[in-house]
Each structure stands twice: as structure tokens, then as C-alpha cells.
Amino acid sequence: MKTMTRTLLMLAALMLCGCSGDNNEVMAQTRQEKLQITIDGKTRQATLVDNAATQELVARLQQSPVTLSLDTNGSFEIWGPLGFSLPTSNQQITAQPGDIILYSGSNICLFCGSNSWSYTRLGHIDGMTEAELRTFLHIGESGISVTLSLAGATAVRSIPASSASSDEYIALNGMRTSHPGRGIYIKNGKKVII
């Protein structure tokens, strides 16, 4: 019994770590999503909740980052159009500093204060005080350029080997580059560690 258990554990470990170079598709493990918010060259991470809106947002961000122009509203948030709609699951919420909210299905709100309304919660900016949020979000300004992207390796489910040129590397978040930094990439359908 002990030998069989050990054999099964070794087989499971090999299946998780293995990556066949003969396949036309490369599979990557998934991990918890972290949203990156970049404003004026400063990036902060946010933890996303798990709902239909965030699942669709993550799918869009796996294709490419999204840059928005947001405006201050009432000194407690910056907000503006996403440029696309997401599914809603609105509830009466009192948003708190750091909350990321979907409003009316197509607008995003980043809070440094509080407000009660019927919203869909998207997530929360990690580890910032209200004062730090006010500075980071440029409260009081308009036309604030905000870029949303994904942090780290996420859900690259498959990449056909023929979809990249021979000098191109594909990061585990799906971004393509000819000049990779340190990390794990896919090149010519095979896993490459740099």
C-alpha cells in the first residue's frame, strides 16, 4: 500500500511538472489572479474577487493591458468608462478606501473614500492607507491615465507552436517579446527558462 501511494504521488508530480516538446500546444498552470494598476509610472497590486465580471475582465487583460482615462468624482473616487461592458451582479454596497467597483456595467471606480450605491465589486487595492490612495489615484485631477494589467503568470491555456515567429518568446501571461527578461517563456512551442 505504501509503495503504491508513493508511486501515485511521483506520477502526479511528474504530470504537473512535465511539458512535452512534441505537442503543438503548451499548457501552463494557473494561479490566483492579481490585478496591476499603473498610474503615472507607479504600479500597485489589487486582489480580485471571483465573479463573472472579474472572469471576463481577466480574459480581456490576458489579451493585452487596458489603458483608461479616469476623473475624480466628489473627492472619494476616480472613475470613468472601461470602453467595454462586463456582466453585473449589483448589490447595495458601501465602498471603502481601496475598493475597485464596476458601476452600470461599463464604468470602473477606484475608491479612496466611501460611498453607498448598487455596485458590482471587482476587488481591492492591496495594502494602502486612505492618504496613500489619495496620492496614488491623483484625487482632484481629471484625465488620469490608468493602465490595468495582470501580474505574473495566469491562465495561458494553450498557444499553438506556429502562432509565434522563430525569434519571438511568449510569456506565461500571453505577452510576446523578442527580448525576454528572466522567467519562464514559450518559444517554438516549448517551455524555455531564462
Side-chain angles (χ1 to χ4, degrees):
M1 182 70 157
K2 198 174 192 181
T3 303
M4 185 175 177
T5 302
R6 193 175 319 152
T7 303
L8 288 173
L9 288 173
M10 288 176 53
L11 182 58
L14 286 172
M15 288 174 59
L16 287 172
C17 296
C19 184
S20 171
D22 296 332
N23 291 340
N24 286 336
E25 296 184 342
V26 177
M27 302 300 284
Q29 288 184 301
T30 60
R31 63 184 173 118
Q32 183 180 4
E33 294 292 344
K34 285 284 191 172
L35 178 69
Q36 287 188 324
I37 302 169
T38 303
I39 302 173
D40 199 24
K42 295 179 177 77
T43 301
R44 299 292 182 260
Q45 287 196 349
T47 301
L48 295 172
V49 299
D50 186 16
N51 61 28
T54 58
Q55 290 166 11
E56 189 166 319
L57 178 61
V58 165
R60 286 181 174 270
L61 295 177
Q62 285 173 339
Q63 301 303 312
S64 66
V66 173
T67 300
L68 315 166
S69 180
L70 304 182
D71 296 316
T72 298
N73 179 36
S75 78
F76 58 86
E77 69 177 347
I78 61 173
W79 81 287
L82 279 168
F84 51 87
S85 293
L86 296 174
T88 61
S89 55
N90 291 336
Q91 297 178 359
Q92 187 67 29
I93 296 172
T94 300
Q96 299 298 314
D99 281 351
I100 305 166
I101 301 292
L102 179 67
Y103 172 68
S104 293
S106 61
N107 295 286
I108 192 165
C109 307
L110 307 176
F111 282 85
C112 65
S114 294
N115 191 47
S116 293
W117 201 260
S118 183
Y119 297 126
T120 298
R121 188 178 304 278
L122 297 177
H124 188 85
I125 300 170
D126 299 336
M128 296 187 78
T129 67
E130 186 174 334
E132 291 168 333
L133 284 163
R134 287 185 176 283
T135 301
F136 175 64
L137 297 176
H138 292 264
I139 294 300
E141 297 180 23
S142 59
I144 305 158
S145 180
V146 177
T147 300
L148 306 177
S149 60
L150 296 178
T154 56
V156 174
R157 290 186 173 58
S158 64
I159 299 175
S162 61
S163 72
S165 68
S166 62
D167 65 335
E168 200 170 46
Y169 293 81
I170 302 171
L172 295 180
N173 66 359
M175 301 300 289
R176 297 169 186 267
T177 183
S178 296
H179 307 288
R182 295 183 56 88
I184 300 172
Y185 295 88
I186 300 165
K187 182 173 177 153
N188 298 325
K190 296 180 183 176
K191 178 175 66 175
V192 177
I193 300 173
I194 297 176

